[in-house]
Amino acid sequence: MNHRKPQRAVICLYDGFGYDYYERSPLPVMKSMAAEGMVKRGRAVFPTLTNANTVSVCCAAWPSEHGVTTNCYFDEASGTARFLESRDFILAPTIFQRYREAGVRSALLTCKAKTLKLLGEDTVVAVAAEEPTPDVVSRYGAPPPMYSAEVNQWLWTIAIDLLKTRPDIGLVYVQTTDYPMHMWGPDETQSLDHMAMLDERLGEARVVAPDALFLITADHGMNFKTRCLDLRRICAGHGIELRFSVSPVADRLVVHHRGFGGVSYVYLHSKGERAVIQGFLRGLEGVEYVLSRRAAAERFNLMGKRIGDLVVLADRSTVFGDLNAEFEDLGPRYRNHGSLYEEDIPLILYGTDGIVPSPENFVMNFDLTRWLCRTVF
Ligand SMILES: [Zn+2]
């Protein structure tokens, strides 16, 4: 590590902030920061879901290195789906840990409690809007509901206050919720209002922390989806019994997407069935690719033992999940992610002490934090 104190850094992870939201919202502050610094259309890690991408950004690493490939996994011992909420699953050091070891304090602000459970260690301030502590409530008021755009505003109020009053904190990480993106497409008024609010708060952050470096990106984009398939039921209807199928997008907060997603991990009873089942799934309308565990791990840099025997990828308008029937039409308002079609996200860097690195160094969202770690450690 360099001997001088590293430049204060703010990591803004806007959950669900696909590149289309960046393009189609005015965002005067963010776009002026991008013009002065760097902006690029980048890519999210596959599957395009929150945990895999959040942990990739926070570890500056691929899922093959840190091991987090899902929000929800199949526990072979109990034969049930379980939520991935414990720090033990992360097999690489987090950026918070590396900063702490280097003697620099960090803060983690997030909407969802699960992010705190996964990543809150090694920080001096850790706030989840979902489960605020009494001292947070007494300073900032009670958070708005989790299923609102306002909760993101509340979170940024804390970020701005920390930037203003706690110069001893060298890394501030803010992760909003993607609820507004689940609800509204980039051109809808409510979305434009939400993005304008975020942009205003970013402007305040820049004013109170003119010395800071800003890294802005997202964990995935969002698209309208029209149909859900229950792969286990469809297979059963054709005499094929799957051991298990899990939507890696599922988490405890399912009101806005019901746990469906554009990817499925399918577990088989035996290896011998693989070719037949793979062939059958490939033939389904709405399924684009069916990859073996090994092929998926190689292609997407995933940890093979933490995905299904088969990885099923949906087309743009389809999701997978548990239903009471084989299929369900989702209506015109349903938005979700998880597939290859939610990979496009913005990469923005601002405040780099005059030296702007070449955009060629940045492809994935976590290339931003990888670059940060390289400059700091
Ligand atoms: Zn997300």
Side-chain angles (χ1 to χ4, degrees), residues 142-280:
M146 282 301 290
Y147 300 109
S148 74
E150 289 72 27
V151 71
N152 287 340
Q153 169 137 1
W154 182 86
L155 214 55
W156 268 97
T157 300
I158 303 176
I160 292 159
D161 182 54
L162 290 179
L163 290 170
K164 208 183 331 186
T165 61
R166 292 288 305 269
D168 59 304
I169 295 178
L171 175 67
V172 176
Y173 173 92
V174 194
Q175 178 164 5
T176 52
T177 175
D178 61 6
Y179 175 78
M181 283 74 167
H182 275 284
M183 296 305 288
W184 308 301
D187 299 317
E188 295 183 69
T189 311
Q190 295 96 325
S191 174
L192 294 169
D193 289 348
H194 172 243
M195 292 313 308
M197 177 277 287
L198 288 178
D199 198 55
E200 226 169 86
R201 312 275 34 206
L202 183 64
E204 288 170 56
R206 181 173 61 166
V207 168
V208 299
D211 56 304
L213 176 68
F214 285 81
L215 300 90
I216 302 172
T217 191
D219 54 347
H220 53 78
M222 195 77 72
N223 280 304
F224 283 107
K225 309 283 177 183
T226 54
R227 207 159 74 121
C228 183
L229 312 186
D230 185 325
L231 296 177
R232 197 183 50 78
R233 280 181 188 275
I234 294 170
C235 284
H238 288 78
I240 299 170
E241 197 200 324
L242 300 180
R243 183 161 174 223
F244 209 81
S245 67
V246 64
S247 161
V249 178
D251 73 11
R252 287 187 198 278
L253 294 165
V254 296
V255 168
H256 47 298
H257 53 74
R258 295 173 60 195
F260 307 156
V263 57
S264 179
Y265 293 160
V266 167
Y267 296 83
L268 309 176
H269 287 289
S270 77
K271 274 191 184 145
E273 312 168 302
R274 198 178 81 194
V276 171
I277 296 178
Q278 199 167 0
F280 173 76

Side-chain angles (χ1 to χ4, degrees), residues 30-76:
M30 200 186 293
K31 287 180 183 173
S32 77
M33 291 166 81
E36 220 175 293
M38 181 208 81
V39 61
K40 190 173 170 181
R41 183 195 291 259
R43 254 179 38 222
V45 163
F46 182 85
T48 51
L49 44 91
T50 304
N51 269 3
N53 278 278
T54 300
V55 176
S56 295
V57 168
C58 288
C59 291
W62 287 105
S64 56
E65 300 162 76
H66 60 67
V68 175
T69 55
T70 182
N71 293 345
C72 181
Y73 69 102
F74 175 56
D75 178 32
E76 308 241 357

Side-chain angles (χ1 to χ4, degrees), residues 337-363:
H337 53 96
S339 82
L340 285 174
Y341 296 93
E342 288 84 35
E343 278 188 336
D344 283 3
I345 44 92
L347 303 178
I348 297 167
L349 197 56
Y350 168 82
T352 56
D353 271 349
I355 307 152
V356 183
S358 163
E360 285 156 37
N361 300 324
F362 303 88
V363 176

